[in-house]
Amino acid sequence: MKNPARWIHVAVFAGGAAALSWEVIWQLQLSLAIGVSAEGAALTLALTMGGMTLGSFAMGRLLHGRKIERPLRAYGLLELAIGLSGLALRPALAVVERADSALPPETRLSLVQLIGIILVLGVPTFAMGASLPFFGLIAARYRTRLSFLYGLNTLGAATGTLLLAFVALPALGVGKAIVAVACVNASIAIVTWMLPDRHEDDDAQPAEPHGPSNLPFSIAALVVFVTGFTTFALEVAWFRALRSAFLSTTSTFAILLAAVLLPLAVASRFAVKLHGQKKQVGPWIAAAAVAILLATPIVERFDVIGGYYIGFLSPTWFYDTLFVVGPAMFLLGISLPWVLEDHEGTRSWGALYAINTVGAIAGATSAAWILLPNLGFARTAWCAGALVLLLSCFVMRGRALAIALAAGAASLAVAIFFESGIGRTRSIGPPAESHLIAFKESADFTVSVMQKGDASRQLYIDGFVATSQPSAQASERTTDYMAWMGRLPMLLHPNPKAGLVICFGTGQTSNAVRREGIDSLDIVDISQAVFDMAPYFVANENVLGDPRVSHHRVDGRAWLRRIDKRYDVITLEPMPPTFAGVNALYSKEFYELLASRLNAGGMAAQWLPFHLVDPYRATSIAATFRSVFPNAVLWQHPISGTGILLGCKEPCSPESLGSSWPGFAREPSVTRTLGAADVEKSLLDRAQTERFAAPGAVVTDDNQLLAYGVDPRNTHAEVSEEHAHENAKMIDEARTGPVTMPPPTPISLKDVALWVVLTALLARIAQLVAKKVMGD
């Protein structure tokens, strides 16, 4: 092949794209195998980064002092090992899931899970980390630079997260996406074996002589540890604030991650020039501290000054994040590639990368488990900025250090002065007229209780109003559907004894199940903070204090998988279907698991929020529910318009669900807001529900239709009154005949133009800055 360096660049870029794709797939699949929990996510991250640490360190030491004739082919073999391990992922996780199912129901972290994840991720993460020392050898052979290859790999990671979220998973599903990513790894291996052993015009190993290091190894190790720690601590803290300002969807995560990785990739190229011009890294570390501290007050206010939504492509999300968070990430990202350039040899490269990765693990876990819960988002960012400023004291001297410390102190003062009061007077997401009643920052969620002027209260989870309680004087009780989420399945069952509520919210659904005369009730929710907020909502009437009620902090799907108990009624109202991780509570596999935990004739109820999903997703949710519960009906709350799917596990009595409501003959312990005639009037019978569901597709764990899938005829998926209107129209049509899906909504040309203009502007700014700083 001609110009082997170019092909090497392509291979390293593709390797980064594949690596990030694997990490996203691992998180997705492991959440299904062991359940969703902050502990499980932390364990997965720690073992992923730990495997990379071990691979980099061990391979660096193994290669030290050895003459490696064909480092490029060795790198190709590592990529092949990653791809082959990926193909074994799903069978291996099936074994892990079976082992997890035997654990006690409330298990959140166990030795079984630890061993399972190590066996699944050990080989590919080791191979990913082991690639870094080979990058150094390849750079020497082919007249390029280690830090440049590292930057290309990071740029590939940014690209990979977008391609996986917006192309591969929506078009292929998880199974075929795994094969596609494995094919990328295999293609890299093939390319590396086809290239010559060295650059055609170069017989020497290094591209140019390497002088003495500017930083002693101990100081270099401190630099890469602290910058790795800070980068990941900020990623956790800032992402918490940003997803509260935007939405906690999978597309939001992909966009924000790309906006962080892109500056890190650009920084690697910048570091090459810095080191080549003999410029020190100290001033850039100090500048990073200043950028962190000045960006934090802006990130605090993203729900006010940013966070507006413009169409399907979400260009403002990406560029808002990039322009505010990007400078700090760019400046932090200079240190590692600069230090790698500053030291020579596989042992040094491997050790430095390993130390950086250990710092990343420490930063992410300490931010999630220690700093955020105890200090909050803003103060966590202040600590990160102060730590980086302290680091500059080890790499700067004299007047430059004094200026850096003065600038850092001034920036900290600005950050403190403009602190917005998150957790004390406000929370990210709620409108300004709301008053903060309670606030809790946990390892997995930010939960707050807000009260409006009319005395109504809302429960916010990561900036989204998950549920609410109207004021006592409210005449139109739009949240009354929450109680009917519990009442309807109880009223359909002739003699319910045992019930389960998945997702607690304000507790109104749980209380309704209790008030309809259940003998025992289990409630599961993944957030302890949600349970802690229950006393602030009087509508639940202290349901958690009832001796018949047991509440458990655990993922609902994991609970069903691990228990042997059977229920007569199961009802659930998760977060919006399009939010990250919620597809798992709307998939066919989940409904099959749910049905297996129902007694014969047992009733299931599922929330269908017509105002939060487009018609394609709404009909797909109904179609999926019907695929497991063919005897299903759809009820629409007469005031709010919210949908509730109701299904019966065969054999059912009566055969046609909704034709009778035996529960109305029982005396409730509280007055119902609707009578039998009102309930029946709002119901689509079995045939009508089938007609409504007909245009939809079945949601599965593989196609991830709600999380990543896109309506092939409709490009919009945001919260919209238009969705509620379109869905209501289709419900009316289903009462009398076949339904007609709304016409497609094309991608806005305005959005495309905005992407082009902002990208061109960003490229020009980067070019001007580079010329100014580098003097060329």
Side-chain angles (χ1 to χ4, degrees):
M1 291 184 178
K2 295 183 178 180
N3 198 349
R6 179 172 298 175
W7 284 100
I8 290 170
H9 294 163
V10 171
V12 170
F13 174 89
L20 208 289
S21 297
W22 283 125
E23 291 180 28
V24 173
I25 290 172
W26 293 339
Q27 284 281 3
L28 176 63
Q29 295 297 99
L30 278 166
S31 69
L32 295 174
I34 65 174
V36 176
S37 69
E39 293 86 349
L43 180 63
T44 302
L45 174 65
L47 293 178
T48 299
M49 304 298 286
M52 296 169 66
T53 299
L54 183 60
S56 176
F57 183 78
M59 189 59 69
R61 294 185 66 85
L62 179 65
L63 296 178
H64 181 68
R66 298 173 183 265
K67 186 176 181 180
I68 308 300
E69 294 293 336
R70 295 174 175 175
L72 189 59
R73 291 189 177 184
Y75 166 63
L77 291 176
L78 291 175
E79 289 287 345
L80 184 61
I82 295 169
L84 292 176
S85 298
L87 292 177
L89 176 66
R90 298 184 94 177
L93 284 179
V95 176
V96 174
E97 183 173 338
R98 285 196 293 272
D100 182 84
S101 299
L103 295 173
E106 292 189 70
T107 300
R108 298 178 62 82
L109 197 63
S110 72
L111 183 61
V112 171
Q113 294 170 334
L114 174 65
I115 295 173
I117 296 175
I118 290 175
L119 292 176
V120 171
L121 302 186
V123 171
T125 56
F126 183 93
M128 287 177 183
S131 300
L132 193 282
F134 282 108
F135 283 175
L137 297 177
I138 293 167
R141 285 287 182 96
Y142 293 91
R143 291 177 138 186
T144 186
R145 308 299 289 263
L146 168 58
S147 55
F148 179 65
L149 294 181
Y150 173 79
L152 275 176
N153 196 252
T154 306
L155 182 61
T159 306
T161 187
L162 295 175
L163 288 176
L164 185 76
F166 293 105
V167 180
L169 286 175
L172 304 175
V174 177
K176 292 180 180 178
I178 286 174
V179 175
V181 179
C183 287
V184 172
N185 294 120
S187 299
I188 295 170
I190 293 171
V191 168
T192 58
W193 278 69
M194 294 176 65
L195 291 174
D197 292 339
R198 65 186 64 200
H199 195 281
E200 294 176 349
D201 302 324
D202 190 18
D203 292 328
Q205 281 272 351
E208 54 186 68
H210 193 287
S213 299
N214 292 288
L215 291 179
F217 185 86
S218 58
I219 300 298
L222 179 65
V223 168
V224 296
F225 177 86
V226 171
T227 53
F229 179 99
T230 305
T231 299
F232 272 70
L234 286 174
E235 188 173 316
V236 171
W238 280 350
F239 270 33
R240 180 74 62 87
L242 291 170
R243 77 187 191 194
S244 296
F246 300 137
L247 286 175
S248 296
T249 63
T250 48
S251 59
T252 300
F253 175 78
I255 290 168
L256 297 182
L257 185 58
V260 168
L261 289 172
L262 181 60
L264 295 177
V266 175
S268 296
R269 180 61 173 167
F270 188 74
V272 174
K273 290 190 175 184
L274 272 183
H275 193 270
Q277 294 180 1
K278 310 299 182 185
K279 294 184 178 181
Q280 297 299 310
V281 75
W284 303 96
I285 292 175
V290 171
I292 292 167
L293 295 169
L294 294 181
T296 298
I298 302 175
V299 176
E300 287 182 67
R301 293 168 172 82
F302 251 54
D303 58 328
V304 179
I305 61 177
Y308 49 91
Y309 184 88
I310 304 181
F312 168 70
L313 294 177
S314 310
T316 58
W317 292 6
F318 179 80
Y319 285 106
D320 282 352
T321 306
L322 189 62
F323 282 120
V324 175
V325 174
M329 289 297 168
F330 170 81
L331 293 166
L332 280 172
I334 291 172
S335 296
L336 177 60
W338 189 94
V339 168
L340 290 174
E341 285 293 316
D342 198 48
H343 288 75
E344 191 174 46
T346 57
R347 184 163 63 179
S348 294
W349 297 330
L352 289 168
Y353 183 73
I355 293 169
N356 179 260
T357 309
V358 170
I361 298 172
T365 53
S366 62
W369 292 94
I370 301 173
L371 297 175
L372 276 174
N374 291 285
L375 300 179
F377 144 70
R379 289 170 176 77
T380 296
W382 299 349
C383 290
L387 181 63
V388 175
L389 185 64
L390 180 63
L391 176 64
S392 65
C393 296
F394 292 86
V395 291
M396 299 177 69
R397 295 289 184 272
R399 183 169 178 269
L401 176 59
I403 294 173
L405 292 176
S411 300
L412 179 59
V414 169
I416 294 173
F417 181 80
F418 287 103
E419 193 254 341
S420 67
I422 293 175
R424 292 182 291 105
T425 60
R426 68 179 294 261
S427 180
I428 296 181
E433 62 269 18
S434 296
H435 173 64
L436 182 66
I437 300 296
F439 182 90
K440 186 167 185 178
E441 193 97 56
S442 64
D444 40 12
F445 299 106
T446 299
V447 180
S448 59
V449 177
M450 309 296 296
Q451 180 168 304
K452 292 184 177 180
D454 61 358
S456 64
R457 289 187 174 183
Q458 297 77 39
L459 178 70
Y460 281 83
I461 300 177
D462 284 344
F464 181 82
V465 57
T467 183
S468 60
Q469 170 189 284
S471 64
Q473 295 76 30
S475 59
E476 191 173 271
R477 307 180 73 85
T478 56
T479 60
D480 186 49
Y481 79 89
M482 299 176 197
W484 286 95
M485 282 288 307
R487 294 195 184 284
L488 290 173
M490 290 289 291
L491 293 170
L492 282 169
H493 198 286
N495 188 26
K497 298 296 184 182
L500 170 66
V501 175
I502 299 175
C503 303
F504 181 68
T506 59
Q508 295 174 71
T509 299
S510 301
N511 186 47
V513 173
R514 174 181 64 151
R515 289 302 189 186
E516 288 294 339
I518 202 78
D519 288 348
S520 68
L521 176 63
D522 289 325
I523 306 170
V524 299
D525 198 292
I526 61 175
S527 175
Q528 181 59 44
V530 170
F531 287 127
D532 293 341
M533 298 301 177
Y536 296 99
F537 296 94
V538 297
N540 66 52
E541 300 180 297
N542 192 28
V543 64
L544 298 181
D546 192 311
R548 296 172 296 169
V549 176
S550 300
H551 66 281
H552 313 272
R553 181 191 171 215
V554 64
D555 172 51
R557 184 161 169 160
W559 173 267
L560 289 173
R561 193 176 60 244
R562 294 169 183 164
I563 61 171
D564 294 324
K565 186 175 181 179
R566 297 297 182 269
Y567 298 99
D568 298 308
V569 167
I570 299 178
T571 181
L572 66 155
E573 184 188 357
M575 291 292 280
T578 55
F579 276 28
V582 182
N583 190 98
L585 297 180
Y586 281 90
S587 68
K588 181 179 181 180
E589 291 86 350
F590 169 73
Y591 291 136
E592 289 172 340
L593 176 60
L594 186 150
S596 72
R597 298 299 182 261
L598 281 172
N599 291 316
M603 299 293 170
Q606 172 70 285
W607 182 48
L608 178 45
F610 289 126
H611 62 297
L612 297 179
V613 290
D614 58 63
Y616 181 69
R617 287 182 171 91
T619 55
S620 295
I621 290 171
T624 308
F625 191 81
R626 286 196 70 262
S627 70
V628 177
F629 299 101
N631 193 358
V633 294
L634 174 60
W635 188 79
Q636 189 177 25
H637 188 259
I639 298 176
S640 69
T642 297
I644 299 175
L645 287 161
L646 299 158
C648 176
K649 181 177 179 179
E650 302 290 354
C652 297
S653 177
E655 292 185 4
S656 180
L657 196 63
S659 60
S660 69
W661 298 81
F664 276 109
R666 298 189 297 266
E667 286 295 327
S669 56
V670 68
T671 303
R672 303 185 184 108
T673 56
L674 298 173
D678 298 316
V679 170
E680 292 175 356
K681 187 167 58 175
S682 301
L683 190 73
L684 266 65
D685 64 24
R686 181 172 179 174
Q688 292 166 337
T689 302
E690 183 177 1
R691 288 199 293 267
F692 175 81
V698 173
V699 180
T700 67
D701 291 340
D702 183 76
N703 65 29
Q704 291 288 310
L705 190 149
L706 301 179
Y708 292 98
V710 178
D711 178 354
R713 306 155 307 92
N714 191 312
T715 60
H716 287 274
E718 72 273 22
V719 176
S720 169
E721 292 183 4
E722 184 180 353
H723 290 339
H725 174 74
E726 291 172 342
N727 286 317
K729 181 180 177 182
M730 292 174 62
I731 288 173
D732 290 338
E733 291 177 351
R735 294 182 186 278
T736 57
V739 300
T740 303
M741 289 290 282
T745 303
I747 295 175
S748 170
L749 293 178
K750 180 182 67 175
D751 294 346
V752 176
L754 187 59
W755 266 111
V756 173
V757 170
L758 289 175
T759 302
L761 178 63
L762 178 65
R764 181 57 178 164
I765 291 173
Q767 183 182 30
L768 292 175
V769 170
K771 285 185 176 181
K772 184 70 175 176
V773 174
M774 304 309 302
D776 60 352

